Amino acid sequence: MSFLGGPECSTAGNPLSQFAKHTQDDKSLQRDRVVNGGPQGSAGGFRSAPNHAPQDEMMNGFLQQNGRLPDMPLEAMNPQLRLDHPAQAVHLRANSTSPTWANEFQRNPQAAMESAFKVPQGTHFGPEDYAKFQQMTQVGPSRSSPMPQGMAYPGPMMGTGMMSGMGNVGMGYGMRGMYGSPMYQQPQQQQPAAAQSMDKGKGKLVELDDNKWEEQFAQIALEDQQAREDEQNKAMEPELNKLDEQILQSETNEFGDFESIWRGIQSEKNAATEQLNEDEWVNRFNDENWQNGFGWGENNYRITGEPQVENYLFEEDNLFKDTPNPFDEGMRIMEQGGNLSLAALAFEAAAQKDPTHVEAWVQLGAAQAQNEKETAAIRALEQAKSLDPNNPGALMTLAVSYTNEGYDSTAYRTLERWLSVKYPSIISPADLSPAADLGFTDRQQLHDKVSNLFIKAANLSPGGEQMDPDVQVGLGVLFYGAEEYEKAVDCFGAALQSTEQGASNQRSQVHLLWNRMGATLANSGKSEEAIAAYERALTLRPNFVRARYNLGVSCINMGCQQEAASHLLAALDMHKSVEKEGRDKAREILGDLSDSQLDAMTTQNCSTNLYDTLRRVFMQMGRRDLADKVVAGVDPAVFRGDIDF
Amino acid sequence: MPNIVVVGAGVSGLTTAYLLSKDKANTITIVAKHMPGDYDIQYASPWAGANVLPMATASNSRWERRTWPQLKRLALEVPEAGIHLQKARVLRRTKDLEKLKTGVYSFDGLFMENPWYKSLFDDFRELSPSELPAEMASGCEFGSLCINTMLYLPWLVGQCRANGVVFKRGVLMHISEAASLSHAGVKADIIINTTGLMASKLGGVMDENVVPVRGQVVVVRNEAPYMLTKSGTDDADDEVCYVMTRANGGGTILGGTYQKGNWESQPDPNQALRIMRRVVEMMPEITNGKGVDGFDIVRHGVGLRPYRNGGVRIEKEKIDGTWVVHNYGHAGWGYQGSFGCAEGVAELVSEILNKPKL
């Protein structure tokens, strides 16, 4: 039998004939082990089985096709291999089989000796071995360390037989594989070249005049700074260009909302980079995201740090377009707890009539948020904010929406700004945290900073009638974002207390507080209490779509899928009923139109969240048929046969 | 539109992605170092048999219990999935009975007398004494199935593709990197961790409970008339004996070894010979009485089963601000628990996505 591989005419009668073929292929483990440059950088158990390297040597040696084993008599490997019990393998190896093996070993002990590590004879895997290994296995260049390849292969280095079992093999021969940690480290390739441009341009000798040295020094420092900035600007260019490319590419995907590009933000960004001061530069360079290129570093926020917000999409053919004062209509509907989609339409009309009407945008955003149309809400509120960056209503509602959507750092910054408007003594608008892509730890720090500010504000009026419920709400939102739900519950509770006793315009917000309380309870696993809170909200405002959605979610968590579906469908029905009413009106005005034509008119902003959740409920109920029917704009009535609502 | 990134393309990752992709709202990206078609020691799935021989204890039987009907349906209705029905015989040696009672092996559930899984197979029966070889105390037979992994894994890829899943090659240092690897270009909502053995090395996970259980096999052209395994061997405690013929010309797998903590990637010729001898002893008809010499060998192989002390990990965890759902540590039952575990993941995904709104 030939262990040297090569083409086999017949594999029958040759139990180990295919051995060479397999084992020559997959050396990945050894490669990884030897080079230790793989992603799993640490010396781990994965590579620490020390006994095996010598065997691999042997195995490789024997399997080498180019016949570099002249001293290895073939007769030694005959088909009648003794089937040794694994535990005895070593013993047998030592004494029996081919004596030439042992000779080989004796003849070449020096390789065993030459080792940086003091290991017993024959146990190491030194540089020469690696060189040989490389030669034999022709490891690809990308994996190889630059090791000298001087030695010709003299034969197997370690004496134990390759036939031996895995576990104990080295022991008998005195081979105690010692090296737990691999000896070859590939240079870490992550340290960016960019870091070097941080060099502060030392080594510039200048003569300083005795009198004017301060001036000169300042001048030099300025020049240095300028040079540095220019350098850093240049270094930034490719990164920015790449960023632009990435943004352009994602432009074509099918997802709207935050995934699409707001060109205004882009040009703003370009302008802003030119004005960045040194601190910003330092921050950016220290931020791993910038240093390591796209895709590396913790939580790449390059694309998703700040939400990309599109312009608000108005419904076509608004019922209220000819109403003289749609804003007042909208306010009336809200105060009376009417249908939120209707209220939204009224505010849309108001905003379309006068796009500078900040309050119209604010109310539109608030209505859509309660209507469980978060994206629309955010767009409207951002519009309000662009008209009036310090509008407290817009800021608070935006902070809540961003928290819901997972844009934590944006939410925190928005709350900070809100505080600077209402409590400039605690934080001045000039001291606001800069907008920047934040890694995970930086977000924590920002969160803690803003929370402390809010606590300071809360302490200004510790209790009773003076307590500012909005501060409590802000604090509650902050705790909610950090998953400190107990504290959040306390805050919302305090806000509830003071609001219920407060002025009437505050009382109109109570249902919001009950919903927030419920959401917080739900997140801390208190489903039943959450449901009670939602029901309080719904009692005050039966048309509160968001609360009804939340109720559905709590039902899912309690395993009541059927009931959950019922709540979700009821919520969708509230959207649809206005659409239907609008449809009738539209028919009056525009004449006979097909349902699909009307559908196109009334589904600009639909609640993907409601649809997605409903679909998931149906899947969990095992009703794939129902799940497939859930598409954006579907009429809930379609499901009446299966679900009561 | 929930955005999900699955890390790892073994049977667990592919099945999980497949299941999640049935909900059209989900945007799914699979990122993996190895993909079907690769043979690598870090990528266990191709090396598996694979078949259904339930090995869980009754209390942990959920995963295998839920998977069996799915695989059976594929065997019956989807020939291109590369699965065929095969009878299985499980023999219990007299000398192992005591050990089995004390729970020495991790695949003990398989050799239990009066096992929980007998209700899964309507043709389950205990073998009569005349059907038992000398050293066997008892044994059972039931209609099971055998999976040709080299056809099944690509089939799963195809099913994922049909549902819009995108595949990307990638190597991660830290699990949180997956958050930025969604093909949609936005941060992922959920990361699914199906990294198997590599969960012990992946930043952010570093699960020390995960260890390899080395399995050496011989792949031959000979065919076995049915699948056969016995509760132990005389050669060593960590050497086992099983045989199964894969569907659609996938060859016959002769096994094997069950060496916990052993990372060796290269087949051991001695072990190979012992494996072949054991199978031929247990099933002489496989080489028509010619003994070991009658084997027509395709190749030898070694796979490292991703074993986890404490059992499989299916749970959700927030790591560096992103939700991660773990699904790793399936040891030697990855295929036969794949659908059940994927369902468990889907439940956790729903829990994460169904969040209340402030």
Side-chain angles (χ1 to χ4, degrees):
Chain A
M1 157 154 66
S2 162
F3 268 95
L4 300 184
E8 295 297 321
C9 307
S10 155
T11 57
N14 199 350
L16 291 174
S17 65
Q18 296 303 308
F19 227 83
K21 193 160 83 161
H22 165 85
T23 55
Q24 276 175 323
D25 292 340
D26 185 352
K27 299 292 187 299
S28 56
L29 197 60
Q30 283 110 318
R31 260 183 261 132
D32 286 350
R33 180 189 309 145
V34 167
V35 172
N36 188 43
Q40 299 81 18
S42 62
F46 189 50
R47 292 168 181 79
S48 64
N51 300 328
H52 305 145
Q55 282 181 55
D56 302 328
E57 270 288 71
M58 279 228 282
M59 187 91 87
N60 294 328
F62 288 113
L63 301 178
Q64 189 58 22
Q65 288 211 26
N66 59 18
R68 285 228 241 149
L69 309 161
D71 302 296
M72 191 35 60
L74 293 179
E75 307 86 70
M77 330 268 182
N78 52 38
Q80 287 96 357
L81 269 176
R82 212 169 317 208
L83 298 182
D84 311 294
H85 193 280
Q88 295 162 25
V90 167
H91 255 24
L92 295 168
R93 287 289 77 72
N95 303 323
S96 57
T97 55
S98 170
T100 47
W101 287 39
N103 292 344
E104 273 315 317
F105 182 70
Q106 306 306 341
R107 228 180 289 155
N108 193 12
Q110 37 95 353
M113 287 308 146
E114 287 167 40
S115 163
F117 292 75
K118 288 250 182 264
V119 288
Q121 178 174 356
T123 56
H124 85 302
F125 194 84
E128 310 78 11
D129 310 312
Y130 177 63
K132 257 177 260 127
F133 173 85
Q134 262 208 292
Q135 271 187 315
M136 292 188 309
T137 58
Q138 284 130 32
V139 174
S142 61
R143 285 286 200 167
S144 59
S145 307
M147 288 296 182
Q149 307 217 349
M151 252 180 191
Y153 182 71
M157 303 224 337
M158 317 300 168
T160 58
M162 65 184 275
M163 309 304 166
S164 49
M166 283 303 126
N168 326 322
V169 70
M171 299 314 175
Y173 253 56
M175 287 167 79
R176 281 163 232 96
M178 289 298 123
Y179 47 96
S181 55
M183 305 182 187
Y184 303 101
Q185 300 269 341
Q186 254 205 8
Q188 289 301 314
Q189 67 235 28
Q190 268 86 359
Q191 294 327 310
Q196 277 136 34
S197 48
M198 284 294 289
D199 177 41
K200 303 267 174 183
K202 299 188 179 50
K204 203 164 97 175
L205 275 175
V206 173
E207 292 272 341
L208 289 175
D209 180 84
D210 270 342
N211 294 330
K212 300 216 201 117
W213 69 269
E214 275 180 319
E215 237 177 60
Q216 279 180 308
F217 200 81
Q219 181 62 24
I220 291 166
L222 213 61
E223 280 169 45
D224 270 2
Q225 179 173 331
Q226 193 56 43
R228 233 178 300 138
E229 277 187 46
D230 289 341
E231 220 182 286
Q232 288 163 350
N233 263 328
K234 276 200 226 114
M236 279 289 284
E237 272 288 8
E239 300 289 7
L240 284 176
N241 289 337
K242 235 196 288 177
L243 172 59
D244 288 348
E245 268 172 44
Q246 297 282 0
I247 291 181
L248 282 170
Q249 276 165 28
S250 62
E251 206 182 333
T252 56
N253 71 42
E254 70 220 47
F255 306 113
D257 309 347
F258 298 113
E259 293 86 323
S260 48
I261 312 305
W262 192 17
R263 306 205 200 285
I265 278 189
Q266 256 206 269
S267 52
E268 204 180 285
K269 217 175 195 111
N270 289 336
T273 49
E274 287 156 30
Q275 291 160 30
L276 280 172
N277 59 30
E278 190 188 282
D279 288 346
E280 289 269 347
W281 281 118
V282 172
N283 281 341
R284 281 185 191 264
F285 263 102
N286 287 338
D287 189 341
E288 282 174 20
N289 296 332
W290 289 99
Q291 280 183 341
N292 297 334
F294 184 68
W296 288 93
E298 55 173 359
N299 282 342
N300 186 325
Y301 271 86
R302 181 164 301 185
I303 275 188
T304 61
E306 300 271 339
Q308 310 281 351
V309 182
E310 270 228 319
N311 287 330
Y312 188 91
L313 291 172
F314 290 104
E315 298 290 342
E316 295 170 12
D317 249 330
N318 192 324
L319 304 175
F320 293 94
K321 67 179 179 190
D322 294 322
T323 319
N325 197 342
F327 180 79
D328 285 351
E329 284 284 313
M331 292 304 291
R332 191 181 48 78
I333 298 170
M334 293 291 276
E335 275 149 29
Q336 291 173 355
N339 187 295
L340 289 164
S341 292
L342 206 60
L345 280 176
F347 291 126
E348 279 187 25
Q352 280 175 301
K353 258 188 151 83
D354 175 11
T356 65
H357 188 176
V358 177
E359 200 54 25
W361 288 110
V362 174
Q363 291 300 326
L364 177 56
Q368 292 288 47
Q370 293 175 50
N371 206 15
E372 193 44 48
K373 293 187 178 182
E374 197 87 82
T375 313
I378 292 181
R379 288 176 182 176
L381 292 164
E382 280 288 346
Q383 192 65 29
K385 196 174 141 218
S386 70
L387 291 167
D388 175 8
N390 290 331
N391 185 298
L395 291 171
M396 185 54 80
T397 318
L398 257 183
V400 170
S401 289
Y402 282 139
T403 303
N404 280 335
E405 292 295 294
Y407 289 98
D408 294 337
S409 13
T410 316
Y412 303 155
R413 263 183 251 120
T414 311
L415 282 169
E416 199 191 33
R417 180 178 277 277
W418 179 91
L419 198 63
S420 76
V421 170
K422 202 163 181 194
Y423 292 84
S425 59
I426 292 190
I427 176 164
S428 143
D431 294 334
L432 294 177
S433 303
D437 289 349
L438 293 182
F440 179 64
T441 5
D442 292 333
R443 274 208 306 289
Q444 301 271 54
Q445 285 173 353
L446 176 61
H447 171 272
D448 293 342
K449 176 187 174 206
V450 179
S451 299
N452 285 332
L453 294 171
F454 265 84
I455 290 174
K456 267 200 222 164
N459 287 336
L460 287 179
S461 47
E465 289 169 14
Q466 307 300 323
M467 185 198 295
D468 184 346
D470 288 331
V471 169
Q472 292 299 322
V473 170
L475 204 45
V477 172
L478 283 162
F479 285 136
Y480 185 93
E483 292 171 36
E484 295 182 75
Y485 296 119
E486 306 251 325
K487 293 189 190 160
V489 164
D490 286 342
C491 291
F492 291 131
L496 263 168
Q497 238 184 349
S498 94
T499 305
E500 278 173 331
Q501 299 158 1
S504 59
N505 63 345
Q506 286 185 331
R507 267 184 268 127
S508 68
Q509 307 291 300
V510 173
H511 63 288
L512 294 178
L513 292 171
W514 277 116
N515 179 57
R516 290 181 182 147
M517 176 71 92
T520 314
L521 289 164
N523 267 319
S524 40
K526 304 194 174 139
S527 295
E528 286 179 7
E529 293 175 43
I531 289 178
Y534 297 140
E535 307 226 306
R536 291 290 295 261
L538 284 165
T539 311
L540 290 164
R541 289 280 193 282
N543 283 317
F544 193 175
V545 174
R546 172 156 283 180
R548 197 162 290 281
Y549 159 77
N550 282 343
L551 194 50
V553 168
S554 279
C555 286
I556 297 174
N557 290 336
M558 295 183 65
C560 314
Q561 316 287 1
Q562 190 95 6
E563 209 181 319
S566 154
H567 286 300
L568 296 168
L569 284 165
L572 284 169
D573 205 34
M574 289 177 204
H575 290 168
K576 213 54 170 175
S577 65
V578 166
E579 291 165 27
K580 282 190 187 135
E581 191 178 315
R583 231 175 273 212
D584 295 336
K585 286 270 189 207
R587 280 210 176 92
E588 277 176 40
I589 298 164
L590 304 165
D592 231 347
L593 288 166
S594 73
D595 268 334
S596 53
Q597 281 174 304
L598 289 170
D599 261 331
M601 287 178 164
T602 53
T603 52
Q604 283 288 37
N605 297 308
C606 69
S607 174
T608 47
N609 196 24
L610 274 170
Y611 291 116
D612 285 350
T613 312
L614 182 61
R615 196 180 302 109
R616 275 195 290 276
V617 170
F618 285 145
M619 295 286 271
Q620 249 174 312
M621 286 167 66
R623 293 298 301 268
R624 184 77 189 275
D625 58 321
L626 295 177
D628 286 342
K629 282 199 230 170
V630 180
V631 288
V634 68
D635 189 341
V638 162
F639 300 98
R640 274 202 199 274
D642 300 278
I643 312 278
D644 282 327
F645 65 94
Chain B
M1 301 282 268
N3 205 309
I4 302 173
V5 174
V6 178
V7 183
V11 67
S12 295
L14 292 172
T15 310
T16 305
Y18 172 39
L19 198 63
L20 291 173
S21 70
K22 290 188 183 192
D23 184 343
K24 298 285 175 268
N26 289 332
T27 301
I28 302 175
T29 312
I30 295 184
V31 176
K33 184 173 182 185
H34 296 109
M35 295 281 184
D38 292 2
Y39 277 108
D40 192 286
I41 195 62
Q42 293 182 359
Y43 185 38
S45 287
W47 301 107
N51 64 9
V52 173
L53 290 178
M55 41 181 95
T57 54
S59 49
N60 285 329
S61 58
R62 170 186 168 176
W63 319 114
E64 290 174 333
R65 194 187 288 276
R66 296 284 303 168
T67 305
W68 165 247
Q70 308 272 2
L71 292 176
K72 183 175 173 190
R73 186 191 69 84
L74 290 176
L76 289 170
E77 299 174 17
V78 186
E80 59 268 33
I83 306 179
H84 67 171
L85 297 177
Q86 287 279 82
K87 280 271 193 228
R89 282 199 178 187
V90 175
L91 305 174
R92 309 176 196 110
R93 300 194 310 169
T94 315
K95 59 180 82 164
D96 291 327
L97 287 180
E98 279 315 303
K99 251 193 284 187
L100 287 174
K101 291 204 185 100
T102 61
V104 160
Y105 304 124
S106 53
F107 40 82
D108 282 346
L110 177 60
F111 298 107
M112 285 296 164
E113 298 172 281
N114 199 23
W116 65 266
Y117 58 81
K118 66 183 189 202
S119 57
L120 279 187
F121 309 103
D122 22 55
D123 58 348
F124 180 95
R125 69 182 184 90
E126 284 288 314
L127 296 168
S128 61
S130 59
E131 295 173 291
L132 294 171
E135 56 163 353
M136 303 301 168
S138 62
C140 62
E141 183 188 75
F142 50 91
S144 177
L145 49 84
C146 187
I147 304 168
N148 183 341
T149 60
M150 297 322 286
L151 295 181
Y152 183 58
L153 293 176
W155 178 82
L156 282 172
V157 173
Q159 296 303 298
C160 286
R161 285 296 306 135
N163 288 344
V165 177
V166 172
F167 287 77
K168 279 205 253 190
R169 289 261 185 177
V171 180
L172 310 185
M173 309 261 275
H174 195 284
I175 186 71
S176 62
E177 290 169 27
S180 52
L181 295 176
S182 166
H183 72 273
V186 282
K187 180 169 175 260
D189 296 304
I190 303 180
I191 300 170
I192 315 282
N193 173 19
T194 47
T195 50
L197 190 54
M198 296 298 111
S200 59
K201 306 289 165 194
L202 183 60
V205 184
M206 301 296 283
D207 192 337
E208 293 171 347
N209 287 318
V210 174
V211 292
V213 174
R214 183 179 179 275
Q216 181 166 327
V217 295
V218 187
V219 185
V220 301
R221 292 187 179 84
N222 312 66
E223 285 194 3
Y226 53 92
M227 308 196 290
L228 185 55
T229 186
K230 58 180 180 175
S231 56
T233 70
D234 287 330
D235 288 330
D237 280 351
D238 59 3
E239 300 209 353
V240 294
C241 184
Y242 56 87
V243 57
M244 69 184 85
T245 298
R246 285 177 168 177
N248 313 133
T252 299
I253 308 290
L254 313 178
T257 64
Y258 200 86
Q259 301 165 287
K260 202 163 161 194
N262 190 318
W263 293 85
E264 177 53 59
S265 64
Q266 300 306 299
D268 177 319
N270 245 357
Q271 274 183 337
L273 284 168
R274 287 198 295 277
I275 290 171
M276 290 187 280
R277 180 180 45 71
R278 289 197 292 266
V279 171
V280 139
E281 250 174 35
M282 191 171 67
M283 185 189 266
E285 61 267 39
I286 194 172
T287 56
N288 286 324
K290 296 208 206 99
V292 168
D293 289 349
F295 277 125
D296 183 358
I297 301 174
V298 176
R299 66 172 178 271
H300 300 267
V302 172
L304 300 179
R305 304 175 183 85
Y307 180 91
R308 184 170 182 271
N309 288 313
V312 66
R313 184 175 182 203
I314 299 180
E315 64 184 13
K316 63 181 203 251
E317 180 188 2
K318 219 167 188 191
I319 300 179
D320 277 12
T322 311
W323 276 112
V324 177
V325 179
H326 299 287
N327 181 16
Y328 65 85
H330 304 87
W333 52 272
Y335 285 81
Q336 62 200 38
S338 56
F339 282 98
C341 293
E343 274 179 7
V345 172
E347 279 171 24
L348 293 173
V349 166
S350 282
E351 260 180 48
I352 296 170
L353 294 175
N354 295 337
K355 45 179 196 238
K357 301 284 188 166
L358 267 182

